[in-house]
Amino acid sequence: MPERHLAIVLHDVAPATWPAYRPFVAAVDALAATLGPIPLTWLVVPDFHGRGRFDGDPAFVDRLQRRLERGDELALHGYYHRDDAPPPRTPGEWWMRRLYTREGEFQAIDDATVDERLDGGAALFADQGWPPPGFVAPAWLMNAATRRALTRRDFLYTSCRKRLYRLPEFTPLPAPGLVWSARSAWRRGLSLGVCTLQAHHHRQAGLLRLGIHPVDLGHPGLFDRWLRIVVTQIRAGRQPITKRQWLGRQARGATPP
């Protein structure tokens, strides 16, 4: 059988969200004692909701550096992770930017703002000596200006809900993801059914991504369910891997996408 991999992706990583992640990361690290290495992909927000840049917290920077040294991946996840563009002007824009999400930072900003935020985030990574990162837009929403800007820079990849795109060519690679909507009880209930069906539907996918958010981990049921999914997928034969590592394997032709 073709190799199957599992990417555990932590979204919205910042000093403000670390308390939500601390017990989950510890639990995953504990699983590694019996299941083998479980590298994580951390989607780091430079200035989460404008609360202060992550490089202003030396302990947080040191924590990420140590995770990088143990084999984890650090990727850039927006800049502020909030939609501060001018208000929506059409019903379609309102639905996407107010109902679907209020954090689609790169969905409605202009070229100059895209350039400023991409370059600012990349510079923060470079200042720490971290490798050139992948870029994941908040809520996976990117407008044409963002796509154009990504083709002119050194980011390794970007992604949507179903695919990774190797940059700068935007080469699509199938990589379905599971994600929970945890903002309300009815969303959590609906997500349970959807994720169960998707996990079955994508059981033979070369890469399955778990898109975990800090809000998920505030609900004991979701905290435990994400851990069960990790265990189930690994015991079913999926090898944990970072997105960066998986893309490297594709480039070498190790596993057909």
Side-chain angles (χ1 to χ4, degrees):
M1 290 182 59
E3 289 186 345
R4 296 178 302 140
H5 294 92
L6 180 72
I8 302 169
V9 186
L10 309 181
H11 286 242
D12 311 351
V13 174
T17 62
W18 170 243
Y21 273 125
R22 184 194 304 272
F24 184 80
V25 171
V28 172
D29 288 347
L31 291 175
T34 55
L35 297 176
I38 306 178
L40 304 173
T41 295
W42 301 65
L43 302 190
V44 182
V45 184
D47 188 357
F48 186 71
H49 289 186
R51 300 181 190 179
R53 288 182 0 185
F54 71 74
D55 60 346
D57 187 331
F60 179 78
V61 172
D62 181 65
R63 183 177 299 115
L64 293 185
Q65 178 64 37
R66 286 186 279 112
R67 298 302 306 197
L68 187 65
E69 291 169 355
R70 65 181 286 166
D72 288 4
E73 174 192 2
L74 307 179
L76 181 63
H77 190 37
Y79 194 90
Y80 295 111
H81 206 289
R82 66 185 181 195
D83 181 351
D84 56 4
R89 294 176 295 178
T90 68
E93 287 184 1
W94 183 89
W95 190 91
M96 288 300 296
R97 297 177 56 201
R98 294 297 182 265
L99 186 60
Y100 174 70
T101 182
R102 288 178 174 267
E103 302 203 346
E105 179 183 4
F106 280 77
Q107 188 184 17
I109 54 179
D110 59 25
D111 292 76
T113 306
V114 168
D115 290 343
E116 179 183 7
R117 295 184 185 183
L118 289 180
D119 292 342
L124 281 174
F125 272 60
D127 288 346
Q128 307 306 323
W130 296 341
F135 172 78
V136 179
W140 298 282
L141 296 175
M142 295 180 290
N143 61 8
T146 303
R147 290 176 174 270
R148 287 193 298 270
L150 289 173
T151 65
R152 301 191 299 266
R153 284 165 172 79
D154 294 330
F155 293 105
L156 301 179
Y157 66 84
T158 189
S159 64
C160 65
R161 289 283 294 270
K162 297 181 180 180
R163 297 175 182 85
L164 295 184
Y165 296 91
R166 191 189 308 279
L167 295 174
E169 298 87 359
F170 266 87
T171 304
L173 298 171
L178 304 184
V179 64
W180 228 275
S181 182
R183 285 188 289 162
S184 63
W186 72 266
R187 286 176 181 264
R188 293 192 293 274
L190 180 63
S191 293
L192 171 60
V194 170
C195 282
T196 300
L197 290 173
Q198 289 179 333
H200 178 75
H201 179 71
H202 297 303
R203 62 191 181 279
Q204 298 302 331
L207 177 67
L208 182 68
R209 295 178 289 152
L210 306 184
I212 301 170
H213 291 76
V215 66
D216 300 350
L217 306 178
H219 301 277
L222 287 190
F223 185 108
D224 294 338
R225 183 164 292 278
W226 275 128
L227 286 179
R228 288 199 298 273
I229 291 172
V230 170
V231 172
T232 299
Q233 292 295 328
I234 294 175
R235 287 179 174 168
R238 287 195 178 275
Q239 176 185 343
I241 198 168
T242 68
K243 293 194 290 184
R244 186 188 187 100
Q245 291 167 342
W246 188 79
L247 284 167
R249 295 175 69 92
Q250 307 314 298
R252 295 190 299 271
T255 306

